[in-house]
Amino acid sequence: MAFDLDMIKKVYDRYSTRVAAARKATGKPLTLTEKILYAHLSEGDAQKAFARGVDYVDFAPDRVAMQDATAQMALLQFMQAGRPKVAVPSTVHCDHLIQAKIGAEVDLNTAKDTNKEVYDFLASVSDKYGIGFWKPGAGIIHQVVLENYAFPGGMMIGTDSHTPNAGGLGMIAIGVGGADACDVMAGLPWELKFPKLIGVKLTGKLSGWSSAKDVILKVAGILTVKGGTGAIVEYFGEGARSLSATGKGTICNMGAEIGATTSVFGYDEKAAIYLRGTKREGIAALADTIKEHLTGDAEVYANPEQYFDQVIEINLSELEPHVNGPFTPDLAWPISKFAAAVKENNWPATLEVGLIGSCTNSSYEDITRAASIAQQAVDKHLKTKAEFTITPGSEQVRYTVDRDGYLGTFAEMGGVVLANACGPCIGQWARHTDDPTRKNSIITSFNRNFAKRQDGNPNTHAFVASPEIVTAFAIAGDLTFNPLTDTLTNEQGQQVKLDEPQGLEMPIKGYAVEDAGYQAPAEDGSKVEVKVDPKSSRLQLLDPFAAWEGTDLTGLKLLIKAKGKCTTDHISMAGPWLKFRGHLDNISNNMLIGAINFANNTADSVKNQLTGEYGPVPATQRDYKAHGIGTIVVGDENYGEGSSREHAAMEPRHLGVRAILVKSFARIHETNLKKQGMLGITFADPADYDKVQEDDSIDIQGLTSFAPGKQLTVVLHHKDGSSDSFAVNHTYNAQQIEWFKAGGALNIIRKQMAN
Ligand code: MIC
Ligand code: SF4
């Protein structure tokens, strides 16, 4: 598992020269984000980068991380690229496929059994191609990366939208689709439009009930789920330096919820403490040698307005704990206003379950702070009213907090420890409820709370808060309780108040673990055989997608015009469908089943224009495909927000959808569509969305002269014989147009590798 000190040394060796050159070329002081990006430019792309935002720029990331639910597709694609070994250090983490039902041990064993085929596949592919393999039970990708691989000033990509977690240790870490990971592992550059820069200046110091999580809950409220699109968020100021590295990780992790490309903090004493505490003194020593480059220039932080596109200032001394939700992570409530909001909106005030942990919030500090609240439930004779679960982020954290007695405290309070995995966060939760039709509330310390996300139940109102606030709410069982001001009645009929949480940033006795769960790849993997059973329902080798036919697209049928929020959870649901993440045809049966059809306000019910009948989206699409008829999907703002899962792009591609036309796209999803050779376009005038009717046949014109920056035209032929025509935008550059023409980026790589 050893991190690669030589690799880090190489990065640092070129770092200072690159930064100096960039400062000279741009003639100005630099933000940290610019420094790291400039230090990772592919040869020859400096001028494009300095021009900022003009075009896509090529980067050379240092690492790749993949989690099991996305690694399958990423590696199925990599296997087609024809390379003997990965070109950069890469790891696979088995975390998403473990279902939470009874408790850690039983659930882990069940998962090993039910997912055996997939784990064996991932293990053997990793072995063959030189990829580090983290076994089921080892922990959640982002926590394991923070503990083992993240380093200040580095750049990595990961096939998961919460990859930015590593920004807590000063790394530019970006979530991507599997096809992007495949490129980097194949030794190709990785492209990104040079991001906008958002600066968040933190002043003051946290105290009492407020925690790092509240910083991002507040930022989400300010920026909303779209506000960070196309931007990297850089945190700085004395407040930033006062936060623990893991607290910073929490903030960067949940930055995915504002659509930010990533978030990052500078290298400081807290980062050094964490590196040393996780047995990486060597990295801290190296980082110290170029310390001044691992943070933004002083001039930038003194006058941030001059250097960032947007600046937000938050005073940590005044920051209240927040609760965000329900149904969207940007509906932010300071705790003092939350009870009133619950009453006014008629949200179920009774709290049924409190869940702490996940990749976002399961550091030693988080667990100790939450445990200090749990301990009070025991000491003050309070009976915990709601169910309570704990999901440790890694085996190292779990082992350490268990050794130090904290898991015992949670057990005394009535908590259940789940496996070191995603579990309830990603709908892998066999929640037991007496009546699923009842409107109900849960609260988690996770990051996402879209409808149905945790338990698949649309009646569940999910709220997000810090682990200590979640623990207090679980004890009270009531969302109108304010732990800062209110009392609770204990089992002896007395009124008691919870004291402020107390925690430890790092374990006094140090981290420990018996078996971290790592498996190193074979030195020479050429003899390792990777088997995929052709009859498998879970794995399927990929067939290349067909190339573009060379003409405009005409006579497309409208498959669905999705109304309102359409996240990747709506397009390709997780939970029970996770088991098909390695089988494109089977998982395609979930395509868009969560999207709301504008014509009847119903999910998974669309009109088949060939029969006039309403049916499920996937079946309807398969019927069009069988008749050789292409279709189009229309959507609203921020289409594809949320996860990095490329299945949301591959499924429509596989089933014969020809274009996705929306008001706007979320970044990762838009790239995923392009990579898979799909046409992703946006209304030049968002009001044209209203012109699309249920029985429309649609043409897309201008493809024969498809060029960067040049609009295309959409013509709607309505049922009554009338028609509408309007311009649509796209963001394809010359290279991406080639992907479209070839039927997908992989078709091009495959050709290149064969030559
Ligand atoms: C998530 O939090 O939604 C996931 C599950 O981790 C996803 C990845 C996936 O869909 O596999 C993500 O955030 O990218
Ligand atoms: Fe897993 Fe949830 Fe973290 Fe995604 S957000 S990696 S599902 S714990």
Side-chain angles (χ1 to χ4, degrees):
M1 104 179 95
F3 50 86
D4 193 340
L5 208 55
D6 285 344
M7 181 266 278
I8 298 174
K9 199 160 174 312
K10 269 192 210 127
V11 174
Y12 286 175
D13 281 349
R14 64 167 192 255
Y15 202 103
S16 315
T17 337
R18 295 271 188 108
V19 169
R23 215 183 265 124
K24 196 153 163 237
T26 58
K28 61 180 196 57
L30 301 174
T31 60
L32 168 64
T33 307
E34 290 164 298
K35 291 182 189 179
I36 304 180
L37 290 179
Y38 292 154
H40 288 86
L41 289 172
S42 291
E43 295 299 328
D45 261 22
Q47 288 319 317
K48 266 206 271 173
F50 299 150
R52 297 271 299 263
V54 178
D55 198 356
Y56 286 80
V57 182
D58 284 347
F59 292 98
D62 308 314
R63 298 199 67 89
V64 175
M66 293 163 279
Q67 42 93 339
D68 51 2
T70 49
Q72 297 168 64
M73 222 22 114
L75 293 172
L76 283 164
Q77 294 177 75
F78 182 74
M79 283 165 67
Q80 298 200 1
R83 291 261 326 194
K85 236 183 176 47
V86 288
V88 300
S90 307
T91 47
V92 164
H93 304 259
C94 296
D95 52 3
H96 281 62
L97 300 177
I98 302 170
Q99 197 186 34
K101 192 168 181 182
I102 294 162
E105 212 183 304
V106 182
D107 294 348
L108 181 59
N109 284 332
T110 312
K112 284 185 186 158
D113 206 30
T114 41
N115 303 316
K116 187 172 185 315
E117 181 185 2
V118 172
Y119 292 149
D120 287 350
F121 168 75
L122 291 174
S124 61
V125 180
S126 299
D127 204 21
K128 183 169 181 66
Y129 296 108
I131 301 170
F133 181 69
W134 289 81
K135 294 186 262 188
I140 308 173
I141 175 168
H142 313 301
Q143 182 63 34
V144 174
V145 166
L146 193 71
E147 285 171 9
N148 296 281
Y149 302 119
F151 67 94
M155 182 182 203
M156 69 176 269
I157 59 164
T159 59
D160 190 281
S161 64
H162 295 107
T163 303
N165 192 68
L169 260 188
M171 189 166 204
I172 293 270
I174 302 182
V176 298
D180 283 34
C182 175
D183 286 0
V184 175
M185 291 188 294
L188 300 175
W190 177 70
E191 58 166 33
L192 178 75
K193 213 173 207 157
F194 205 93
K196 280 188 301 182
L197 304 176
I198 298 179
V200 181
K201 178 173 182 180
L202 301 179
T203 59
K205 197 169 186 327
L206 291 172
S207 65
W209 284 86
S210 300
S211 71
K213 179 65 159 261
D214 300 306
V215 175
I216 186 60
L217 294 175
K218 172 138 183 119
V219 169
I222 298 171
L223 285 174
T224 78
V225 289
K226 266 190 75 179
T229 310
I232 293 189
V233 184
E234 180 170 327
Y235 291 83
F236 60 94
E238 38 145 358
R241 289 191 298 274
S242 73
L243 298 170
S244 63
T246 50
K248 291 177 175 117
T250 297
I251 295 173
C252 295
N253 176 305
M254 199 178 159
E257 270 46 70
I258 55 170
T261 301
T262 191
S263 304
V264 69
F265 280 83
Y267 176 66
D268 58 16
E269 191 45 34
K270 296 286 192 182
I273 292 176
Y274 186 71
L275 283 170
R276 288 188 215 115
T278 47
K279 305 186 179 66
R280 289 175 290 172
E281 300 81 359
I283 302 184
L286 273 183
D288 283 337
T289 63
I290 59 158
K291 215 168 42 237
E292 71 278 17
H293 298 313
L294 297 175
T295 181
D297 286 343
E299 297 92 313
V300 170
Y301 294 157
N303 297 297
E305 289 76 16
Q306 291 177 22
Y307 303 100
F308 290 98
D309 298 292
Q310 183 181 355
V311 177
I312 295 171
E313 187 165 334
I314 297 174
N315 183 344
L316 300 183
S317 306
E318 289 166 7
L319 181 66
E320 265 191 72
H322 276 60
V323 180
N324 288 19
F327 305 124
T328 184
D330 56 354
L331 196 54
W333 305 98
I335 192 100
S336 58
K337 307 244 162 53
F338 183 57
V342 170
K343 287 178 205 147
E344 257 161 50
N345 293 291
N346 232 339
W347 295 324
T350 306
L351 177 69
E352 300 199 4
V353 194
L355 306 98
I356 66 164
S358 88
C359 66
T360 328
N361 261 128
S362 59
S363 63
Y364 193 81
E365 187 177 34
D366 290 330
I367 300 285
T368 51
R369 281 173 67 85
S372 77
I373 304 299
Q375 185 64 49
Q376 294 180 53
V378 181
D379 296 345
K380 298 184 183 185
H381 309 288
L382 286 159
K383 194 169 164 12
T384 306
K385 299 271 175 43
E387 280 182 56
F388 186 64
T389 69
I390 305 99
T391 312
S394 72
E395 177 56 13
Q396 173 161 283
V397 162
R398 191 209 62 78
Y399 187 92
T400 310
V401 297
D402 192 23
R403 176 199 67 190
D404 295 348
Y406 298 107
L407 294 187
T409 310
F410 289 128
E412 267 185 83
M413 168 204 162
V416 175
V417 179
L418 301 172
N420 311 323
C422 300
C425 181
I426 182 63
Q428 286 280 56
W429 185 23
R431 182 175 169 192
H432 33 87
T433 165
D434 46 356
D435 176 13
T437 62
R438 177 181 63 235
K439 275 175 114 192
N440 73 93
S441 291
I442 64 171
I443 187 164
T444 79
S445 71
F446 311 162
N447 43 29
R448 250 171 219 162
N449 59 346
F450 304 136
K452 302 202 240 178
R453 164 98 178 169
Q454 272 83 32
D455 60 358
N457 182 351
N459 296 308
T460 297
H461 293 54
F463 297 88
V464 182
S466 69
E468 43 274 50
I469 291 288
V470 171
T471 310
F473 272 122
I475 295 168
D478 179 1
L479 287 180
T480 63
F481 168 69
N482 179 350
L484 281 70
T485 53
D486 299 351
T487 55
L488 293 167
T489 314
N490 73 3
E491 290 182 294
Q492 295 156 352
Q494 298 154 330
Q495 291 299 305
V496 296
K497 200 164 168 294
L498 295 171
D499 303 327
E500 287 172 356
Q502 308 284 338
L504 291 169
E505 195 177 311
M506 300 286 286
I508 295 167
K509 286 190 265 170
Y511 285 104
V513 69
E514 249 165 33
D515 175 9
Y518 178 74
Q519 197 170 293
E523 266 310 314
D524 172 11
S526 58
K527 302 263 145 38
V528 178
E529 222 191 309
V530 178
K531 283 198 208 108
V532 172
D533 179 353
K535 290 196 290 297
S536 167
S537 68
R538 299 200 54 179
L539 294 167
Q540 181 185 41
L541 294 175
L542 292 171
D543 285 328
F545 291 131
W548 172 55
E549 59 271 61
T551 59
D552 282 347
L553 301 175
T554 54
L556 305 179
K557 299 292 181 199
L558 177 74
L559 175 63
I560 182 171
K561 175 162 133 180
K563 185 174 147 184
K565 226 184 201 351
C566 194
T567 70
T568 45
D569 282 345
H570 297 82
I571 307 171
S572 174
M573 198 185 192
W577 293 91
L578 280 172
K579 58 175 172 291
F580 298 125
R581 283 289 182 87
H583 197 295
L584 184 55
D585 194 52
N586 282 348
I587 199 163
S588 294
N589 290 330
N590 79 356
M591 184 183 76
L592 285 157
I593 61 177
I596 302 299
N597 180 3
F598 87 110
N600 55 10
N601 280 322
T602 311
D604 204 20
S605 166
V606 291
K607 190 168 178 180
N608 181 334
Q609 292 192 34
L610 305 177
T611 61
E613 311 260 308
Y614 283 82
V617 186
T620 308
Q621 178 57 35
R622 284 189 193 272
D623 192 44
Y624 286 128
K625 186 180 183 185
H627 287 87
I629 297 170
T631 61
I632 175 165
V633 169
V634 173
D636 216 309
E637 296 283 3
N638 211 16
Y639 182 90
E641 83 177 81
S643 137
S644 66
R645 61 191 78 142
E646 65 199 319
H647 306 78
M650 294 180 89
E651 293 174 25
R653 182 80 175 93
H654 170 66
L655 291 185
V657 175
R658 300 304 305 271
I660 313 283
L661 167 61
V662 299
K663 290 188 190 167
S664 63
F665 283 110
R667 173 188 62 90
I668 306 181
H669 186 63
E670 185 175 24
T671 309
N672 286 345
L673 289 169
K674 290 177 178 175
K675 279 257 143 123
Q676 301 301 339
M678 177 71 99
L679 190 61
I681 45 186
T682 53
F683 292 100
D685 177 1
D688 288 335
Y689 170 92
D690 298 328
K691 295 185 179 147
V692 179
Q693 297 174 16
E694 190 178 25
D695 293 292
D696 283 352
S697 282
I698 302 168
D699 304 337
I700 301 175
Q701 299 171 345
L703 288 172
T704 44
S705 53
F706 197 6
K710 193 168 160 218
Q711 291 183 320
L712 300 169
T713 304
V714 162
V715 186
L716 307 174
H717 303 279
H718 304 305
K719 198 177 177 192
D720 64 4
S722 66
S723 65
D724 277 302
S725 160
F726 48 80
V728 292
N729 295 332
H730 70 83
T731 61
Y732 290 72
N733 64 15
Q735 171 68 51
Q736 295 166 341
I737 289 175
E738 292 310 312
W739 299 343
F740 169 77
K741 290 185 176 163
L746 191 55
N747 289 346
I748 296 181
I749 303 183
R750 203 186 287 118
K751 245 192 237 147
Q752 285 167 353
M753 295 290 171
N755 288 335

